[in-house]
Amino acid sequence: MRDAFVGRRAELDVLHARAADAAAGRPTLVVVQGAAGFGKTALLDAFTAFTLPPGWQRLGAAGDDAEARLPYGLFDRLVLGRGIGPVEHTEPFTAGATLLHLLGDVQESGPVALVVDDAQWADRASLLALTFT
């Protein structure tokens, strides 16, 4: 299925190499940058939907311009439906610790790809929580 995504072979290879690092116990951060319309979302979708290595789980959400001023909007979508009750959002470090705990639980069954798309539209509190995590 790797060949089904045309024109981004080198980028997919980089993502696979970073996934191999993470699977070997070396957590990795990858930032995908490019101009509007470059295909960043399509690249992430292709990687996580079709070429994410077997046994991996995806935990993800996207920033939303309509929620940019809603504290913890992105964070809540990341944890929604993951067995976490309502999170008291007292400060970003508490939320980040909650997400870190969730990631620990999820990775018990294998590596996890935490994917945040359109971070430029995410609210500040969620981004601070992610930075802590």
Side-chain angles (χ1 to χ4, degrees), residues 53-75:
W56 279 70
Q57 295 188 54
R58 181 187 190 277
L59 180 65
D64 185 336
D65 185 31
E67 291 185 355
R69 290 192 168 95
L70 176 65
Y72 299 103
L74 176 73
F75 174 86

Side-chain angles (χ1 to χ4, degrees), residues 54-103:
W56 279 70
Q57 295 188 54
R58 181 187 190 277
L59 180 65
D64 185 336
D65 185 31
E67 291 185 355
R69 290 192 168 95
L70 176 65
Y72 299 103
L74 176 73
F75 174 86
D76 287 342
R77 280 185 276 115
L78 278 171
V79 302
L80 184 66
R82 295 289 180 163
I84 292 182
V87 177
E88 184 177 333
H89 302 303
T90 56
E91 48 108 9
F93 301 113
T94 303
T98 299
L99 182 56
L100 191 58
H101 180 73
L102 171 63
L103 288 170

Side-chain angles (χ1 to χ4, degrees):
M1 197 56 138
R2 271 176 94 162
D3 296 328
F5 189 62
V6 177
R8 296 285 184 245
R9 178 60 159 256
E11 290 86 348
L12 283 172
D13 288 346
V14 168
L15 291 174
H16 279 278
R18 297 299 70 81
D21 288 344
R26 296 181 302 272
T28 303
L29 173 67
V30 176
V31 177
V32 178
Q33 295 179 315
F38 176 73
K40 300 174 296 291
T41 298
L43 175 66
L44 291 172
D45 287 348
F47 176 69
T48 59
F50 303 116
T51 63
L52 196 62
W56 279 70
Q57 295 188 54
R58 181 187 190 277
L59 180 65
D64 185 336
D65 185 31
E67 291 185 355
R69 290 192 168 95
L70 176 65
Y72 299 103
L74 176 73
F75 174 86
D76 287 342
R77 280 185 276 115
L78 278 171
V79 302
L80 184 66
R82 295 289 180 163
I84 292 182
V87 177
E88 184 177 333
H89 302 303
T90 56
E91 48 108 9
F93 301 113
T94 303
T98 299
L99 182 56
L100 191 58
H101 180 73
L102 171 63
L103 288 170
D105 288 348
V106 173
Q107 77 178 20
E108 285 183 15
S109 61
V112 180
L114 176 63
V115 179
V116 176
D117 194 13
D118 290 329
Q120 74 275 14
W121 299 119
D123 61 279
R124 188 175 196 299
S126 291
L127 290 176
L128 288 171
L130 283 168
T131 300
F132 175 84
T133 303

